[in-house]
Amino acid sequence: MKKILFVCLGNICRSPMAEFLMKDMVKQRGIEKEFLIESAGTSNEEEGNPVHIGTKNKLKEFGISTEGKFARQMNKEDYQTYDYIVAMETRNIDGILNIIKKDYYHKIYRLLDFSLNPRDIRDPWYTGNFEDTYQDIKEGLEYFLKYLGY
Ligand code: 4NP
């Protein structure tokens, strides 16, 4: 079982997009039983809020639902629970380290560091462009799955 936690700032835009897209990708491949996939934010600002309408609508285009997801802040226990803590951008890694203090087990990654063009995921909170974010996340997840051996 591979346990993956995607992390952004608010847990309403980018990390839920990664969570539900990855859930769909592993389901398409028939390997969903091998994964636990969740998401969280480094901040508590959006705690309890549903997925942002931009992310919801973008995933809906592909028949993917985000039903039942509400934002939550990452906590220290998550660091023990998950094998891969996958951040959307460098700033999130600082946020994660603020919560857990030290990455003893080297579990923290930045999603697009798995790709051939390492960079941050474009943040739709500022751009309003959820298509760009989707493209970045899709690219990252394909390389991440490859990295995991799929
Ligand atoms: P997310 O998007 O981190 O991708 O969920 C954001 C959500 C909230 C804020 C920024 C980004 N905010 O500044 O409140």
Side-chain angles (χ1 to χ4, degrees), residues 88-105:
M88 297 296 113
E89 59 177 8
T90 302
R91 191 163 73 114
N92 304 144
I93 295 179
D94 297 333
I96 295 165
L97 288 171
N98 268 335
I99 294 166
I100 65 155
K101 303 309 171 202
K102 195 177 181 321
D103 186 14
Y104 281 107
Y105 305 106

Side-chain angles (χ1 to χ4, degrees), residues 11-12 39 46-51 66-72:
N11 192 215
I12 56 169
S39 67
E46 302 288 346
E47 188 89 38
N49 288 340
V51 173
T66 59
E67 204 57 47
K69 170 65 188 172
F70 297 96
R72 74 164 181 93

